[in-house]
Amino acid sequence: MSDIHGNYTAFKRVVEDAEKEGVDEYWFLGDLLMPGPGTNSILELLDSLNAPIKLRGNWDDFLFEDILPISKAYIDEPQTTYIVELYKYIYNHLDPKYIEEMRQWPISSQTTIGNFKIVLAHNYPKKNFGHELLPYSKQADFDNLLFTDPFDIAVYGHVHHQLLRTSSKDQLIINPGSIGQPYTAWSKFSADRRAQYAILTFDKTSYRGIDFRKVAYSIDDELVLAKASELPFYELYERIFTEGKAFTHNNDALNEIIAKYDYKPDVLAYLQHLENK
C-alpha cells in the first residue's frame, strides 16, 4: 500500500477489501498524511494491521523538517503557504504519539520471503523524493533502484501509478499505485478515482504472482469528512477528485485560494508562534 495522502475513507475500504482477499501482511510505502483530512483514524487503522514495514514518504518528511528557515526564505512562493497550512492542521489534529511513531519510520526496508530478497522504498532506497521512477522513465533509473544489492523484487510508491516491469536483468519492479490520489495524464483513464493497491502472493518455495486491485469508495463521504474537519484548501482537495490532479505546483490555483481565505497572514502568524516557542 502506498500514498494514502490523508484519505481515510479510501484507506478503510482498501483494508476491508484486503481482508476479504485473505491478506496476512501489509507493507506501507509512505506518504500517509496530507493533503486529505485523515489523521488519528488513519494511524489507528494502520497500527491495527500486521504491518511490519512502514516507510516514510516525502510528504511525511514535511512534518519533521525545520520549517522556520525554509518557510521564511520561500514565503512568497504559494507552495510554502500551502504546505505550512497543512503542517499546522496535522499538528493541531494528530496525537503526538503518532508523530513520534512516524518519525522513527525509515525511508526504505528489506525483507526476505522464502529465497526471495525484496527491497521496499518510497522512491529510491536512499532518497524518498524525485521523479526518476515515473512509469516512462529510462531503464537505467529502474536498474539503479535494484542494483544496490542483488534483490529479486523491488516495490516502491511515490509516483501514484500501478506498475509492473523488470530490470534489465529481469528482476521484478512493482508499484501498487496510490490509495488516496491515483494519477494518470491520459484523460480517458483519469475519471477512475478508485483506490489502488496490490497483493503479492508467495508460497513456501516461490513467488506466485501479483493482483493489482482497484477499490471503489464514497468520495462524497471523504469530502464530508474534509469539510467537517475544516481542512485547509478544501476546495483544491475537492478538485483532486473531479480533475484527477494535485495542486502542489499549480501556482494559479494556490494563489487564488490563498487570497480568498487570507491564508498567508495566518501562516506568518503561525511561523511567528513557532519562533516564539
Side-chain angles (χ1 to χ4, degrees), residues 184-192 243 245:
T184 175
W186 196 253
S187 60
K188 289 185 179 179
F189 298 138
S190 64
D192 186 353
E243 299 177 26
K245 299 175 183 177

Side-chain angles (χ1 to χ4, degrees), residues 17-18 170 176 183 223 261 265 273:
D17 185 77
D170 262 0
Y183 173 74
L223 292 176
Y261 293 99
H273 167 72

Side-chain angles (χ1 to χ4, degrees), residues 2-235:
S2 193
D3 296 275
I4 296 171
H5 283 288
N7 188 333
Y8 172 72
T9 311
F11 182 36
K12 183 180 179 182
R13 283 288 296 115
V14 162
V15 171
E16 291 169 355
D17 185 77
E19 288 177 344
K20 288 178 183 177
E21 294 297 315
V23 167
D24 58 12
E25 183 170 307
Y26 295 81
W27 301 337
F28 176 65
L29 306 179
D31 279 4
L32 188 70
L33 307 176
M34 299 185 290
T39 52
N40 294 313
S41 56
I42 290 180
L43 269 299
E44 288 168 7
L45 181 53
L46 182 61
D47 283 352
S48 74
L49 305 175
N50 177 29
I53 295 174
K54 300 172 186 174
L55 304 182
R56 206 175 67 245
N58 57 307
W59 275 77
D60 304 318
D61 273 352
F62 287 140
L63 298 177
F64 310 116
E65 294 176 350
D66 184 356
I67 68 166
L68 278 171
I70 297 172
S71 299
K72 286 185 174 181
Y74 297 99
I75 191 61
D76 291 329
E77 295 186 9
Q79 292 88 351
T80 300
T81 295
Y82 182 56
I83 295 299
V84 174
E85 277 290 337
L86 293 172
Y87 174 102
K88 175 186 173 187
Y89 172 86
I90 295 298
Y91 270 89
N92 284 343
H93 288 80
L94 190 62
D95 189 315
K97 71 179 181 181
Y98 291 133
I99 295 284
E100 292 311 307
E101 176 187 341
M102 293 175 64
R103 192 191 302 272
Q104 305 306 315
W105 294 350
I107 65 170
S108 65
S109 185
Q110 302 175 20
T111 191
T112 301
I113 299 182
N115 64 346
F116 289 93
K117 289 183 64 178
I118 303 167
V119 60
L120 302 105
H122 184 66
N123 185 49
Y124 274 119
K126 295 184 179 180
K127 177 188 171 189
N128 65 356
F129 60 93
H131 300 97
E132 300 91 345
L133 297 179
L134 290 165
Y136 36 80
S137 295
K138 56 189 178 182
Q139 182 68 49
D141 291 336
F142 288 91
D143 290 346
N144 289 335
L145 173 69
L146 288 163
F147 289 168
T148 54
D149 282 304
F151 297 108
D152 303 296
I153 300 172
V155 190
Y156 77 104
H158 187 51
V159 299
H160 296 214
H161 287 74
Q162 291 185 321
L163 175 147
L164 175 66
R165 62 179 292 164
T166 70
S167 74
S168 58
K169 294 184 178 181
D170 262 0
Q171 297 138 301
L172 280 182
I173 305 171
I174 293 166
N175 193 305
S178 170
I179 288 178
Q181 293 183 14
Y183 173 74
T184 175
W186 196 253
S187 60
K188 289 185 179 179
F189 298 138
S190 64
D192 186 353
R193 308 309 308 154
R194 288 177 293 174
Q196 302 172 344
Y197 78 107
I199 301 175
L200 281 68
T201 304
F202 298 85
D203 62 22
K204 291 182 179 180
T205 60
S206 66
Y207 161 73
R208 297 294 298 274
I210 183 168
D211 180 8
F212 286 104
R213 307 285 295 175
K214 291 187 175 183
V215 182
Y217 66 95
S218 173
I219 291 172
D220 288 342
D221 286 353
E222 175 64 12
L223 292 176
V224 166
L225 174 62
K227 184 166 280 189
S229 303
E230 298 183 347
L231 179 71
F233 291 87
Y234 167 83
E235 291 172 27

